[in-house]
Amino acid sequence: MKKVSIILFSIALTLLLQACSVQEKMSPQIFLDRLSKINTRLDFDTSEQFYEGNEFVCLISDINTNSYAFQISVNDSGDCKKISLAAEKTDEEAFDECVKSIIKVYAPDDDAEKVISSLCSNSNNNQKFQYYETQWHSYSFAAEKECRYFSVSSKKLVNESNVDLSLKPNDKIDF
């Protein structure tokens, strides 16, 4: 009787924990659907969307006529592995709000405020490129005049490789 109770409890616990987990993998369309629920300033009714190979591109404007270009890289299974956002002539606050929404949808375990403050803190000090990493995501940010760029990639889905150093047979190293 005790074995049956333990087995039933284990099955129930497993099912309960699975129901509470956050879906890590999502298609570009699922990402955009979730983004539209979080950021109501974006106008998805007038968006233009298309695939080009393993890249999904979406052009969106917001209620203040700021324009955004999303480029979402997908793996062979169709899951978003990297999301890039670019904007020209967009006010800083609107861009940051869009970035915050992306982080909340794509990386809900990461603190969006902390990521944004780390990336954008030195953008006014002539540092054009900023990088930030968490356990499961890599972030980058670039700003110059009125142009802004942001990207987030999943360390689980993007295969990052180190460049192997090699010498050609005719290269010598003198010590």
Side-chain angles (χ1 to χ4, degrees):
M1 183 68 179
K2 288 183 181 183
K3 288 182 182 181
V4 174
S5 299
I6 292 173
I7 291 172
L8 289 176
F9 178 74
S10 299
I11 292 172
L13 183 63
T14 303
L15 292 174
L16 180 65
L17 291 177
Q18 286 178 351
C20 297
S21 67
V22 175
Q23 181 182 0
E24 293 179 5
K25 297 178 182 179
M26 65 184 92
S27 69
Q29 198 56 50
I30 291 173
F31 168 76
L32 291 176
D33 289 344
R34 292 177 182 175
L35 186 65
S36 69
K37 292 175 183 166
I38 287 181
N39 191 334
T40 57
R41 297 177 64 169
L42 296 175
D43 184 11
F44 286 90
D45 294 333
T46 60
S47 68
E48 298 178 36
Q49 305 174 7
F50 59 92
Y51 272 97
E52 187 172 305
N54 281 355
E55 304 294 327
F56 177 82
V57 177
C58 181
L59 306 172
I60 300 175
S61 59
D62 66 13
I63 58 176
N64 295 330
T65 67
N66 295 312
S67 297
Y68 303 95
F70 285 87
Q71 180 178 356
I72 303 173
S73 302
V74 296
N75 61 13
D76 293 336
S77 301
D79 301 318
C80 301
K81 63 181 185 179
K82 180 179 180 182
I83 300 172
S84 301
L85 173 68
E88 184 179 31
K89 298 181 181 177
T90 302
D91 66 76
E92 207 173 307
E93 185 179 321
F95 187 82
D96 289 352
E97 192 62 35
C98 192
V99 167
K100 187 186 303 183
S101 302
I102 292 170
I103 295 169
K104 286 180 179 179
V105 171
Y106 190 67
D109 292 336
D110 292 345
D111 184 356
E113 295 290 337
K114 184 177 180 182
V115 172
I116 291 172
S117 66
S118 295
L119 289 174
C120 303
S121 63
N122 295 325
S123 64
N124 296 330
N125 299 335
N126 295 328
Q127 295 211 7
K128 297 178 184 177
F129 304 103
Q130 298 291 320
Y131 303 97
Y132 185 78
E133 290 197 16
T134 61
Q135 181 179 5
W136 300 114
H137 296 93
S138 297
Y139 298 91
S140 63
F141 172 80
E144 187 172 312
K145 297 182 184 177
E146 296 177 342
C147 300
R148 297 193 178 313
Y149 172 82
F150 167 80
S151 74
V152 56
S153 60
S154 170
K155 292 180 182 179
K156 293 178 183 177
L157 298 175
V158 174
N159 295 330
E160 293 185 16
S161 61
N162 293 331
V163 177
D164 292 330
L165 300 177
S166 64
L167 295 174
K168 294 182 282 186
N170 59 349
D171 289 344
K172 283 185 161 182
I173 299 178
D174 294 327
F175 291 99

